[in-house]
Amino acid sequence: MANDVNLAQGRDYLAIPGPSVMPDAVLRAMHRAAPNIYAGPLVDMTHSIVADLARVARTRHNATIYIGNGHAAWEAALANTIAVGDRVLVPATGSFGLGWAEMVEGLGGVADIIDFGKSNPMEMGRIAEALAADKSHQIKAVLAVHVDTSSSVRNDIAALRRVMNDVGHPALLMADCIASLCCDEFEMDAWGVDVMVSACQKGLMVPPGISFVFFNDKAAQIRATMPRVSRYWDWKPRANPELFPQHFCGTAPTHHLYGLRTALDMIFEEGLEQVWARHRRLAQAIWAACDVWGQDGPLRLNVADPKNRSHAVTALQIGAPNGAALQDWVRDNLGLTLGIGLGMAPPGDPARDGFFRLGHMGHVNGQMVMAMLGGVQAGMIAQDIPHGRGALDAAAAVIAGK
Ligand SMILES: *Cc1c(COP(=O)(O)O)cnc(C)c1O
C-alpha cells in the first residue's frame, strides 16, 4: 500500500519526558485576567499550594517555590547548603546526576562523582566505601537523582539513607525528584531525605516555569552556618508563607499558581497512591510491548531489571539510525512526538541516532499509552525496523489487568 496519506492532522501527542501533557482543566485555570499579587485570593491560594506541595512530597517540613525550571531548584538547594570549597558526593546514574555535580563545581564546591554508567542504579557498597573513607566528614552532602530521566534508572533512596546511617556519616541527603514526584512512590520524611528538589512540568502537569525545594530542620541548621546566601536563592523567607509576597522575592508566578492549584486538586481527587499505581501499571504495559518487540529485532530497554526502572520515562536503544528515523516518521506522519535519546552517546557521534525515550508521566491514561505504542509499532513497520510480533497484545493484556 502506497504511503500517500498523511495521518498527522488531529490532536498532537507529546510523549517526551517533560514537559508532559497538560490537562485541559489546568489550561482553563490559567486562562484568566491578571490577579492582584498583594492581597486577595492569590495569597490564600499560595498558602494552600505550599501545604499541598509538602503533602505530595510526604514531608511535614518546609516547602518553597522558585520561579525557574528544575535547574533553578538544583541551584537553590546548593546555594543554601554548599559554600565555596565544600565537598559533595554524587553517585551518578545518568546525565542529570552529572549535571547537578557540574553545578556544584560552578558554585565553587567540589563534587566527588561515582559514575555508575547509563543503565545501572547506584551500587550501595561503593557509596558506603566512599563515605567510610571520609573519616573527617568533609563530604557535606550526598546528591542523589531519584529517577535519572536520561537513562530512566530509578534509584533506591531509602537504601541510600540506610547506607549513610550504617556508616554514621552526617552528610545531608539531597534528592532530585524532578522526574519522579507524583509518578513514582517517594517518601521524603520516611526515607530520611533532608533536601528534595522538584519542578512543575513533569508529574505535576503544569507548563515549565516553577520549581520547588523542600528541606527539613537538619538542612535549615546547615543553612544557618553558611557564610552568605544570595537574597534571591535564600529559602528562609520563601519557607514562611506569612511573608507573602517576599515568598517569591518579587512578583508571584500568578498563572502558574492557578494551574498548579488545579493540578494538585486533580492529584488529590485521584489519590496520590492511585497516581503512583496508575504510573506503575502503564509502565508495565510499555515494558511488556518493548520486551516482545525486542524478541525479534534491535529494540532493547535501557534498564534490564524492572525494579530499577522509572514508572514515568522509558529509555530505549534501537541502533542508529533507527532511533532518529522512527522519531521523525511518527512525528511527521502521526502527530506523535517521542523523546530523544539524552546523554547516551557523545555529541556528533552517529550512535546518538540509536536511542529514544518514551515519556509517560502525569496526565496519561491507558488509551494514550496504547495509542503511543501503536504509533511506535507503525513507525517500525514504516521504517522496516525488525521487531517481534504481538507487542500490542502484550501491552493490552497488562492494561486489562490480565
Ligand atoms: C527535567 C529534569 C531536570 C531538569 O529540569 P529543567 O526543568 O529542565 O531544568 C533535572 N533533573 C531531572 C531528574 C529531570 O528529569
Side-chain angles (χ1 to χ4, degrees):
M1 196 174 3
N3 184 26
D4 56 355
V5 183
N6 186 287
L7 304 176
Q9 200 54 247
R11 189 166 187 137
D12 288 339
Y13 181 10
L14 186 70
I16 72 174
S20 63
V21 173
M22 292 181 287
D24 288 340
V26 167
L27 293 171
R28 276 197 302 274
M30 298 178 75
H31 191 121
R32 64 174 67 226
N36 183 3
I37 59 165
Y38 298 107
L42 187 75
V43 179
D44 298 335
M45 189 179 71
T46 301
H47 293 172
S48 77
I49 287 174
V50 168
D52 284 342
L53 284 170
R55 231 173 118 194
V56 294
R58 302 285 196 144
T59 182
R60 292 180 299 102
H61 299 286
N62 303 284
T64 63
I65 305 173
Y66 289 83
I67 303 180
N69 60 16
H71 284 72
W74 274 355
E75 178 149 355
L78 298 173
N80 282 278
T81 53
I82 306 302
V84 172
D86 282 348
R87 292 197 96 80
V88 304
L89 183 69
V90 183
T93 57
S95 302
F96 287 98
L98 298 173
W100 204 4
E102 200 175 281
M103 193 168 265
V104 170
E105 301 271 348
L107 292 168
V110 180
D112 298 335
I113 296 171
I114 309 179
D115 194 341
F116 293 101
K118 299 175 171 71
S119 297
N120 291 298
M122 296 171 189
E123 199 192 298
M124 297 304 160
R126 282 181 62 194
I127 298 172
E129 271 169 37
L131 291 172
D134 179 34
K135 298 226 172 354
S136 56
H137 295 164
Q138 295 295 304
I139 295 170
K140 208 170 169 193
V142 178
L143 271 48
V145 178
H146 184 206
V147 163
D148 198 303
T149 321
S150 63
S151 60
S152 69
V153 168
R154 184 177 47 148
N155 290 295
D156 187 342
I157 302 296
L160 179 57
R161 165 49 72 192
R162 285 195 293 276
V163 162
M164 293 172 70
N165 288 352
D166 289 349
V167 174
H169 201 291
L172 292 174
L173 173 53
M174 316 224 292
D176 170 347
C177 295
I178 296 174
S180 56
L181 192 66
C182 299
C183 300
D184 284 272
E185 181 184 358
F186 177 79
E187 301 275 356
M188 175 163 164
D189 292 352
W191 293 359
V193 173
D194 300 304
V195 178
M196 189 271 271
V197 300
S198 194
C200 68
Q201 79 275 23
K202 299 189 182 180
L204 282 164
M205 311 178 286
V206 175
I210 55 177
S211 54
F212 317 109
V213 178
F214 303 84
F215 63 95
N216 65 12
D217 295 344
K218 182 178 171 188
Q221 281 161 20
I222 297 291
R223 157 71 190 83
T225 67
M226 289 286 285
R228 69 182 72 82
V229 175
S230 102
R231 172 66 187 84
Y232 188 77
W233 294 120
D234 196 353
W235 67 28
K236 247 170 81 179
R238 288 178 193 254
N240 185 351
E242 302 313 316
L243 289 181
F244 199 95
Q246 285 103 305
H247 186 98
F248 295 105
C249 198
T251 308
T254 51
H255 288 64
H256 275 82
L257 294 171
Y258 282 103
L260 182 57
R261 180 62 271 163
T262 297
L264 287 164
D265 289 343
M266 290 174 69
I267 287 165
F268 293 130
E269 194 178 326
E270 183 178 354
L272 185 57
E273 280 90 357
Q274 168 58 33
V275 170
W276 295 338
R278 170 167 54 83
H279 281 82
R280 184 187 321 114
R281 178 68 70 81
L282 295 176
Q284 286 166 343
I286 291 166
W287 305 339
C290 293
D291 283 339
V292 174
W293 283 326
Q295 281 165 13
D296 192 15
L299 187 87
R300 295 288 176 274
L301 284 143
N302 184 51
V303 181
D305 188 336
K307 79 174 192 307
N308 302 324
R309 291 180 195 152
S310 158
H311 295 163
V313 51
T314 300
L316 295 151
Q317 318 173 4
I318 196 167
N322 293 336
L326 179 66
Q327 288 167 64
D328 289 349
W329 193 87
V330 299
R331 184 192 60 231
D332 295 344
N333 292 278
L334 304 182
L336 169 64
T337 302
L338 306 175
I340 58 167
L342 201 63
M344 304 305 279
D349 186 337
R352 272 170 103 81
D353 288 343
F355 303 91
F356 68 105
R357 291 175 302 159
L358 304 174
H360 35 103
M361 47 179 56
H363 194 55
V364 181
N365 62 24
Q367 66 88 11
M368 292 162 80
V369 162
M370 287 307 298
M372 175 182 70
L373 294 171
V376 170
Q377 179 156 314
M380 288 195 288
I381 293 170
Q383 294 298 304
D384 296 318
I385 302 168
H387 56 278
R389 302 293 143 146
L392 298 180
D393 288 340
V398 175
I399 295 282
K402 296 283 179 184

